[in-house]
Each structure stands twice: as C-alpha cells, then as structure tokens.
Amino acid sequence: MPPDPLKIIILTGSDRPEVLDAWAELMPGLKAAIDVDVVGEFSRGEPIADDLSADLCLVLGGDGSILRGCRQLGRRQIPILGINLGRLGFLADLTMEEFRENLQQLKDGDYSVAEHLMFECQHRLADGSTLTDLGLNEVTVTSGGSLKMLDINLEIDAQPVTTFSCDGLIISTPVGSTAHNLSAGGPILRQDLQAFSITPICPHTLTVRPIVDSADRTYALTVSDAPEGVMVVIDGQIRRPVGPDDRLVIKRATPTFKLVRFPGHSYYTTLHRKLGWRGQLDYRERKGH
C-alpha cells in the first residue's frame, strides 16, 4: 500500500511578483518529485484555520516571512521549512536550488525538526484590558517618535531588577538574538538555549550591559513617565503605543517554533556564512616546517 502523500501548507509570505513567480516555478517540480498534497496556499497575513491538517509548512520569502508565518499558525505550530527569497536568511537559509537538491530527503523523511523557544507578550493597558501576542524573535520598547531617553523599569519574577535609562530595551529569544538584539550589541545565543537576552539600546550608563536569564522566568516592563510616541514592537511587525500606566509581561509560550533541518546543517556554519566570519590564518614561519 503506497504511503500517504505529504500534506503541506504554502505561505508565500509576500505578494511581491518575484515570490509568486518562484512558487509558480517550484510547484510543478515539487509535485513531480514527491507525492505531495497542497492543503492550503496563503499569502501575507491570512489566518490559517485551526482544523487544517498538515505535516509541513513551506514558507517562501525571508526570515520576516517565517516570523509572520508563525503568527499565522498561531498556537498550532507545525514544522516550518523556509526557502530564502530575501536577504540574510538565518531561519530561511535554503536557496531554491538547495531545496530542490533536498527533495528526496524530504520525501524519505530524512530530516530533523528542531524546537525553539517562543514567547507570549501580554500588553496590560491602563484601562484594564490586555492584548496578547505570540512571538518568536523579540519584544522591543523604543522611544520611537518621542525622541527622548526613557526610564524603563525591569522586574523578573515580580522582583525589581533595575531601571534602564536608554533609548529602548530588547527582550530577545535565542532565535531573535541575531536580529535587532545583535545590532544593539547583545549576545548571540545558540538557538536551542532556553533563555532570554535583555539588551538596552544606547544606555545612558556605560556600565549597563546585556543580561541573559532563564526562559522559565517572567519579565515585566513599565516605562516611567512615558512620553507620547513610545512604542512596543513585537518581531518588528506589530507596533503599539505604550503609556505610563501600561505594563508589558513577557514569558515563555506553550507552543514552540518547529524548524526543519536537513542533515549536515550546522548552526555555526550558518553564522559563519551569514555574518561573514572568517578564520584567522597563521602566516608566521614555523621552525622545522
């Protein structure tokens, strides 16, 4: 009895012509190479029904498309395989050609699924209501249009930690550590760590440095005397104003981000390739050689 076809969801991630053209080019070859059943095709931001059954979610685009795809999947995360049609691509790191080369492995199930930390951000508003978002990369509080330095209070497990005087603050997952966190001087965290990085943006005190702490803790942020224009930004895609009586609570989410990896993949090889790391050659002459 032949095996059941692989059920996949397609997320184009963007309505850009090059993305749609790439899918039109890929689709015939994909169906010819392996037995697949495309159970849904979704473009940017379209919600995915909870009862839609699939084995795999194929995302065409860049890392931003994968972040958006996580939100489209909501709390029913299934394995995601990204084809990079963007620029850097830490998550969507397969080119179209590399994807074609791995089709047989996809057919044979010769791949692994790595599970990564996601977060839940509760934005508790002054009026008593709460807005809850699921995210993968980071929560950023930024001075935004206020153009002023902020005093951002941090609590961990309801214990006051410090007040950062800065232009903003980033709470990042390991997956997000190579995004805004990295550009702000934060640490690179291996993607399978269960931790959050807390990185101030342009801190007023030079002794203030990033903090890394457990993902099992609860983090709360408030902005003392928040001027108009202060924003919270989630995964670079959700933006909302933050008032002086608002409270942001960030903690580990129950769902995990599931990323398909083919054999031979190395996280540090990806860093080397994407960040342009180069080894230092030793040109010194050695006696006896």
Side-chain angles (χ1 to χ4, degrees), residues 6 10 23 53-55 68 76 91 96 104 121 140 146 149 168-170 175 183 186 188 217 238 256-257 259 266 280:
L6 184 69
I10 305 297
W23 173 230
S53 175
D55 303 307
R68 193 175 294 111
R76 191 182 59 87
L91 301 174
M96 287 278 284
Q104 186 60 46
C121 178
T140 302
S146 73
M149 186 173 67
L169 190 70
I170 303 167
V175 167
S183 66
I188 295 175
R217 303 192 184 280
I238 298 173
T256 57
F257 167 59
L259 185 63
S266 163
Q280 180 63 47

Side-chain angles (χ1 to χ4, degrees), residues 5-287:
L6 184 69
K7 294 181 180 179
I8 63 172
I9 294 171
I10 305 297
L11 300 181
T12 55
S14 170
D15 294 327
R16 295 186 324 225
E18 60 267 31
V19 175
L20 300 178
D21 290 346
W23 173 230
E25 174 192 345
L26 183 64
M27 181 68 165
L30 177 63
K31 286 194 169 184
I34 60 177
D35 189 13
V36 298
D37 181 9
V38 178
V39 297
E41 295 183 39
F42 300 88
S43 61
R44 180 172 180 156
E46 291 182 87
I48 298 172
D50 290 340
D51 58 355
L52 185 60
S53 175
D55 303 307
L56 196 71
C57 180
L58 185 62
V59 178
L60 282 75
D63 286 355
S65 299
I66 288 184
L67 293 174
R68 193 175 294 111
C70 280
R71 286 206 309 281
Q72 288 177 264
L73 288 170
R75 296 188 176 276
R76 191 182 59 87
Q77 296 288 314
I78 61 174
I80 287 179
L81 176 59
I83 299 178
N84 186 21
L85 301 176
R87 288 176 292 179
L88 203 56
F90 277 96
L91 301 174
D93 64 347
L94 282 180
T95 65
M96 287 278 284
E97 185 57 35
E98 288 170 335
F99 176 72
R100 292 190 185 97
E101 291 171 358
N102 283 281
L103 279 176
Q104 186 60 46
Q105 289 174 301
L106 189 64
K107 178 180 180 179
D108 296 341
D110 185 16
Y111 58 85
S112 61
V113 177
E115 297 196 35
H116 299 302
L117 175 70
M118 297 184 73
F119 64 84
E120 178 183 282
C121 178
Q122 297 178 357
H123 186 171
R124 299 176 183 175
L125 301 167
D127 63 6
S129 61
T130 299
L131 301 171
T132 302
D133 295 288
L134 189 67
L136 175 59
N137 262 13
E138 76 278 305
V139 175
T140 302
V141 176
T142 174
S143 57
S146 73
L147 301 177
K148 294 182 179 180
M149 186 173 67
L150 305 179
D151 289 326
I152 303 177
N153 307 304
L154 169 67
E155 295 177 10
I156 299 179
D157 285 346
Q159 297 297 315
V161 176
T162 190
T163 298
F164 295 96
S165 296
C166 53
D167 288 350
L169 190 70
I170 303 167
I171 297 186
S172 166
T173 66
V175 167
S177 69
T178 49
H180 194 181
N181 171 75
L182 181 61
S183 66
I188 295 175
L189 305 180
R190 188 179 175 92
Q191 288 184 336
D192 55 2
L193 288 177
Q194 302 300 300
F196 287 111
S197 172
I198 305 161
T199 302
I201 302 171
C202 298
H204 184 62
T205 304
L206 296 179
T207 54
V208 170
R209 291 293 180 263
I211 300 169
V212 176
D213 205 338
S214 169
D216 292 326
R217 303 192 184 280
T218 299
Y219 302 81
L221 303 176
T222 54
V223 185
S224 302
D225 301 321
E228 186 175 353
V230 177
M231 303 289 290
V232 59
V233 184
I234 299 171
D235 285 352
Q237 297 176 350
I238 298 173
R239 298 170 177 83
R240 296 195 188 98
V242 175
D245 296 319
D246 291 0
R247 184 176 179 86
L248 299 165
V249 178
I250 299 102
K251 59 185 178 180
R252 176 201 291 271
T254 301
T256 57
F257 167 59
K258 298 174 173 60
L259 185 63
V260 172
R261 292 297 193 194
F262 289 109
H265 171 84
S266 163
Y267 175 61
Y268 289 109
T269 298
T270 300
L271 289 180
H272 187 279
R273 183 158 47 98
K274 301 296 184 179
L275 297 181
W277 287 357
R278 296 291 181 269
Q280 180 63 47
L281 298 178
D282 187 354
Y283 291 105
R284 293 171 297 179
E285 291 186 8
R286 300 181 182 178
K287 293 181 180 181

